[in-house]
Amino acid sequence: MSNKLFAPPFYIFFLSLPYGISAGFVAITLPFILTQNGMPVATTALIVSAGISSNFWRFLWGPIADLTLSLRKWYWIGIIASVVTLIYLCVMPYNINKPGIITLAVFISQVAATFIVLPLGGIMANRIEETKKGRAAGWFQAGNLGGTGLGGGAGIWLATNYSVYTTGIILSILMLACAIAIQLIKDVPSNNQNVPSNNQKKILQEIAQIGKDIVGMFKIPIIVFIMFLVCTPIGSGATGNVWSSIAIDWKVSTNTVALVTGVLSGLVSALGCIIGGWITDKWGVFMAYLGFGVICALAAIFMAVLPYTPNSFIVGVLLYSLSTGMVYAGYSAVLLYGIGKNSASTKYSLLSSLGNVPVIYMTALAGWAHDFGGSKYMLLFEAALGLFFVFICFLIIQWMKKRNWLTKPVDAIV
């Protein structure tokens, strides 16, 4: 076990992989299974968006990690809960006439998965050097998206060639193996680590301090802007949640869908995260984030105008995955920029909850846009919205620069 205060950023890659595996099964493998059994794309997209919506509510239990157990213990709780719920999703009956039951099971599984990323925000804030947080953000999203590729692509392949139950067992073993890396990082104690359990006054004081930290965020213009920025549809990557449902438009085989949307997309998006994290440390969080948003929109436009052939699907999905990885790295760097170190898990969960808002509504809108006008309309619709908000946010940043509001918020919070 390491006694060093700071950990290498790449450790975060292994710690975020289990969350990506759980999310990938829900976003890629499960939609593939459902649509193969006759469920409409729009209904499938709503089921996926319901699962994603669990991330919006995780700010409600964010203070638990700051006030109770250490972050390492909460991480293990999240891992065990995610493994149990993933296996349940693999043994439950898929009755397409009862989508409500499937939706509820998906939502519960993704609530469990939030307890994996909940402590990671505090770990990155306290156990990664300030000058390396952009790279940590890149490794975090590399694990997230790489895990999504494993949970999705490997999930489809395993479910097709073996069984859904076998898929759950293998993915669960991978999640547990990755989680061992948490033992290499010096633990982050809760705010009440040294406080007797019956000292209610002290606990109330800690709760009040967390409240002050959160209120303080709303008083800093740059953090208010961050809250707005992460709620916009810039680089949401929502179409990536329905690739397996619409691949038939490109006449793609099942094995190609599994390979491209799963393993290859995971690797390419992970590469995009690493590149994006490096660029963010060089360019600055806001210009990098907006630049990545433009690249993501251009990738969607490129895929929309290509001929609808299997090769176009492969090239388009991989370019989209690369750009999405860069966006997600910039997104995590923006969050780390704004949370400081005090009550870090709570503040990270709050901002990241807001960041899931566009993924939720854009995934639902992607299903609607597809059923309304087809895949090309869906891709162009997503790109147009993204570019519009890139322009709006760029204007806001220039306006804030003139008022000298782009100072580092951590100095005011910590």
Side-chain angles (χ1 to χ4, degrees), residues 73-86:
K73 290 177 180 177
W74 273 114
Y75 181 81
W76 277 114
I77 289 173
I79 288 292
I80 299 302
S82 295
V83 166
V84 170
T85 53
L86 175 61

Side-chain angles (χ1 to χ4, degrees), residues 28-275:
I28 299 174
T29 302
L30 188 60
F32 178 81
I33 295 171
L34 294 177
T35 53
Q36 288 291 304
N37 283 276
M39 184 168 287
V41 172
T43 303
T44 302
L46 286 174
I47 291 174
V48 174
S49 63
I52 296 171
S53 70
S54 63
N55 290 292
F56 174 75
W57 301 107
R58 68 186 181 205
F59 72 92
L60 294 175
W61 45 87
I64 297 176
D66 285 319
L67 289 173
T68 54
L69 305 176
S70 69
L71 296 188
R72 181 185 292 162
K73 290 177 180 177
W74 273 114
Y75 181 81
W76 277 114
I77 289 173
I79 288 292
I80 299 302
S82 295
V83 166
V84 170
T85 53
L86 175 61
I87 292 176
Y88 175 74
L89 282 176
C90 291
V91 300
M92 71 174 297
Y94 298 116
N95 189 338
I96 64 172
N97 294 319
K98 296 181 179 180
I101 296 176
I102 300 174
T103 301
L104 179 61
V106 166
F107 179 78
I108 293 174
S109 77
Q110 295 310 286
V111 168
T114 63
F115 281 92
I116 295 176
V117 291
L118 177 62
L120 285 184
I123 289 172
M124 287 190 289
N126 290 277
R127 294 294 178 256
I128 300 296
E129 293 180 68
E130 199 67 37
T131 57
K132 297 179 180 180
K133 286 187 175 179
R135 275 162 281 184
W139 284 114
F140 172 78
Q141 291 296 349
N144 184 358
L145 297 177
T148 299
L150 285 173
I156 290 178
W157 186 84
L158 288 168
T160 302
N161 292 278
Y162 295 94
S163 67
V164 180
Y165 177 74
T166 301
T167 302
I169 295 298
I170 293 178
L171 293 181
S172 295
I173 292 173
L174 284 174
M175 293 169 69
L176 291 169
C178 291
I180 296 174
I182 193 70
Q183 300 300 126
L184 301 176
I185 299 178
K186 185 176 177 62
D187 202 2
V188 180
S190 72
N191 291 0
N192 291 312
Q193 184 74 21
N194 300 316
V195 179
S197 59
N198 60 352
N199 193 340
Q200 295 183 2
K201 181 177 180 181
K202 180 61 177 178
I203 294 176
L204 291 175
Q205 288 175 348
E206 294 291 349
I207 294 175
Q209 183 58 50
I210 289 179
K212 290 180 181 179
D213 289 339
I214 294 175
V215 171
M217 294 173 68
F218 288 91
K219 296 180 180 180
I220 301 173
I222 191 60
I223 299 188
V224 174
F225 171 68
I226 289 174
M227 292 178 179
F228 169 76
L229 177 65
V230 299
C231 285
T232 68
I234 296 173
S236 67
T239 299
N241 292 327
V242 295
W243 283 140
S244 61
S245 300
I246 64 175
I248 191 173
D249 292 347
W250 282 264
K251 301 177 178 63
V252 184
S253 68
T254 298
N255 287 335
T256 300
V257 173
L259 178 64
V260 175
T261 65
V263 177
L264 290 182
S265 285
L267 292 174
V268 170
S269 60
L271 176 63
C273 291
I274 297 169
I275 294 172

